[in-house]
Amino acid sequence: MTNKIWVAEAPSNIALIKYMGKTEKSGNRPTNGSLSYSLDHLRTRVELSLRPDGQAGDQWAPLNRQGWQPLTLSTKGQERFLKHLQMLKSEFGFSAGFLVQSANNFPSDCGLASSASSFAALTLAGVRAIREMQGKMILTPNEISILSRKGSGSSCRSLFEGFSLWRDEGAERIDLGIGKLWHQVILVDDSLKAVSSSEAHLRVASSDLFNGRVERAERRLKNLIALMREKKWRQSFEICWQEFWDMHALFETSNPAFGYMRSGSLDVLNFVREQVWGKLGDGPLVTMDAGANVHLLYREDQADLARMMGRQLGEKWQVISNLS
Ligand code: DP6
């Protein structure tokens, strides 16, 4: 029995073209392609070790390590996490039990989803541990992405730096010719979501607006990739804006309807559209996940604007950012 610890870290990611809707009940296959940017400053760390008692079942515990905030996972959350590890073990014919410990470098109760970074980090650590003990080659990031998708769809885009494109099985890195982006998330609501994103994927199919959704998302995906490569920032902003409103409109028109938009979200959105884009003719890309918080992405040369907006929005809300 080895007492080795296998460690892996993975970033969160924010989608500009959204994964919303699945083609099958299991396996997290998306109805449409999605495009995301990896948020390197919002990370999960997973440490795996074999259970000292040699038992076969896996266990989860929060990771206590300096610089990391121990995760709080509900019983359901722990079950889902460990089920994914079990899937990896079955895939490679491995049966020994693991102790899984995980932590985020951001508070878990601040309203930021961590399933993408958690499942990506668990998949990385699991594959490393199992393959090493079996004396087999480590898999490529694309292969690991396919496995991670099975645990949580959006996590398959958390294996790469910069932009990731996910069409079907797994994601891949995509070069859009854009350097590093500054990111801010404006935390307008830290309460727990009443409807999980897994549930949202099922419900949106009941919306009348789901007709044509796949075509709209695919068209935006193609256009956004081309526009970003041509450095057409304003048009890129417009596509991202339309895309997250499209997703939130699906939520609000599902049967039964649900929603994440809060008055604070609208305040931030209006501020960015009217006071920033409206007055300066320039600004950040804007998007929202299945939650109330607003994500802003700035070009590298917009650092001053980002700092100024961070100060202004920070007077009212908590702002988490990768700006120094
Ligand atoms: C709104 O990946 O959380 O963030 O596959 O059921 O785990 P499961 O869903 P999840 O869905 C994320 C949806 C989204 C949009 C996106 O990230 O593309």
Side-chain angles (χ1 to χ4, degrees):
M1 189 71 50
T2 168
N3 56 5
K4 178 165 177 170
I5 299 177
W6 289 269
V7 180
E9 286 182 27
S12 178
N13 71 75
I14 180 71
L16 296 176
I17 302 297
K18 308 292 182 184
Y19 152 51
M20 187 39 62
K22 303 183 189 183
T23 57
E24 291 160 19
K25 280 223 166 86
S26 64
N28 303 327
R29 286 180 184 276
T31 49
N32 58 271
S34 57
L35 178 76
S36 65
Y37 184 73
S38 291
L39 303 175
D40 222 31
H41 58 297
L42 302 177
R43 304 177 71 78
T44 298
R45 178 185 175 103
V46 167
E47 295 194 1
L48 276 188
S49 50
L50 286 177
R51 275 180 65 160
D53 57 9
Q55 297 281 310
D58 304 310
Q59 283 180 327
W60 178 84
L63 174 69
N64 289 302
R65 187 174 278 274
Q66 212 189 349
W68 295 85
Q69 316 236 357
L71 255 166
T72 31
L73 267 186
S74 63
T75 314
K76 233 171 115 190
Q78 289 183 36
E79 277 168 16
R80 187 174 170 210
F81 208 44
L82 294 180
K83 197 173 150 217
H84 181 59
L85 182 59
Q86 185 52 56
M87 187 280 293
L88 294 174
K89 287 163 64 174
S90 310
E91 179 86 18
F92 297 113
F94 187 87
S95 57
F98 283 109
L99 170 66
V100 187
Q101 290 181 284
S102 56
N104 292 334
N105 66 352
F106 54 93
S108 57
D109 57 356
C110 71
L112 280 181
S114 62
S115 85
S117 51
S118 302
F119 278 85
L122 177 61
T123 311
L124 273 169
V127 167
R128 270 180 206 155
I130 297 168
R131 302 289 284 182
E132 189 184 303
M133 280 187 275
Q134 293 178 328
K136 297 212 174 117
M137 295 253 294
I138 184 86
L139 307 181
T140 65
N142 298 80
E143 289 168 327
I144 295 172
S145 171
I146 294 173
L147 291 169
S148 199
R149 183 207 82 223
K150 298 181 185 178
S152 177
S154 56
S155 74
C156 79
R157 299 182 312 229
S158 276
L159 277 313
F160 311 92
E161 260 182 49
F163 287 95
S164 299
L165 175 66
W166 170 29
R167 287 193 189 283
D168 181 27
E169 288 270 324
E172 60 195 18
R173 194 179 135 80
I174 177 169
D175 184 8
L176 298 182
I178 291 186
K180 184 184 156 74
L181 298 177
W182 303 116
H183 170 258
Q184 287 167 338
V185 54
I186 320 302
L187 299 170
V188 302
D189 186 6
D190 59 7
S191 58
L192 238 116
K193 291 192 218 177
V195 177
S196 69
S197 42
S198 298
E199 172 67 18
H201 284 288
L202 302 177
R203 285 219 210 153
V204 289
S206 65
S207 162
D208 279 348
L209 303 182
F210 201 73
N211 280 326
R213 162 66 192 159
V214 175
E215 294 73 18
R216 290 195 300 280
E218 292 292 349
R219 192 179 58 238
R220 287 192 192 117
L221 179 62
K222 190 166 153 250
N223 290 344
L224 184 60
I225 290 171
L227 288 166
M228 296 275 261
R229 285 192 166 138
E230 290 163 23
K231 312 235 176 305
K232 293 187 172 155
W233 191 251
R234 171 182 270 281
Q235 284 155 282
S236 300
F237 156 74
E238 283 161 1
I239 291 195
C240 296
W241 184 273
Q242 289 156 16
E243 172 64 6
F244 82 78
W245 274 109
D246 190 349
M247 181 175 79
H248 282 259
L250 291 174
F251 301 153
E252 297 287 352
T253 53
S254 287
N255 194 1
F258 61 103
Y260 305 96
M261 200 66 75
R262 297 288 172 267
S263 58
S265 325
L266 290 172
D267 289 344
V268 176
L269 294 174
N270 285 331
F271 172 78
V272 177
R273 187 180 51 183
E274 308 298 328
Q275 306 301 321
V276 183
W277 275 99
K279 291 204 170 138
L280 305 177
D282 193 16
L285 303 181
V286 183
T287 194
M288 291 175 69
D289 261 341
N293 302 318
V294 181
H295 293 255
L296 306 175
L297 287 166
Y298 303 81
R299 302 184 307 269
E300 205 156 18
D301 65 288
Q302 291 177 310
D304 287 343
L305 173 67
R307 276 195 199 94
M308 202 253 303
M309 285 178 59
R311 272 195 301 274
Q312 203 149 335
L313 294 166
E315 284 175 14
K316 192 152 183 200
W317 297 284
Q318 192 189 344
V319 178
I320 295 188
S321 163
N322 60 351
L323 270 148
S324 43

